[in-house]
């Protein structure tokens, strides 16, 4: 039991000392998505439904196409 506790403590110390991930790009993308929904609802005059199409290009770019339609 004592060795397990030391291993877990060492693991937690390593996690605490490891560099933090930068999530700023994720948060910016989520904010942009929220604005897109708000703009679509304003332009179409009410609730909308969305169709999403994704594609990975040969150069490594990841493309997301959003198509908004008025909710019938």
């Amino acid at each position: 039991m004592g060795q397990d506790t030391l291993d877990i403590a060492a693991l937690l110390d390593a996690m605490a000392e490891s560099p933090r991930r930068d999530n700023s790009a994720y948060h910016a993308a989520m904010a942009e998505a929220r604005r897109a929904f708000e703009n679509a609802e304003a332009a179409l005059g009410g609730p909308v439904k969305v169709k999403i199409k994704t594609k990975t290009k040969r150069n490594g770019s990841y493309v997301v196409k959003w198509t908004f339609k008025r909710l019938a």
Side-chain angles (χ1 to χ4, degrees):
M1 285 298 257
Q3 183 63 29
D4 291 340
T5 304
L6 292 176
D7 291 342
I8 292 173
L11 179 63
L12 291 175
D13 285 341
M15 287 173 46
E17 296 299 322
S18 67
R20 304 288 187 258
R21 288 180 56 186
D22 180 18
N23 290 333
S24 60
Y26 169 78
H27 291 293
M30 291 304 294
E32 186 178 345
R34 288 185 189 101
R35 281 193 300 273
F37 270 93
E38 290 173 2
N39 292 342
E41 286 179 342
L44 296 175
V48 295
K49 63 180 176 178
V50 63
K51 181 178 178 184
I52 300 172
K53 197 179 212 184
T54 60
K55 178 180 179 181
T56 304
K57 291 186 169 185
R58 282 192 236 182
N59 65 1
S61 296
Y62 186 74
V63 179
V64 180
K65 178 182 177 184
W66 299 32
T67 305
F68 294 97
K69 287 188 178 183
R70 187 177 182 147
L71 197 60

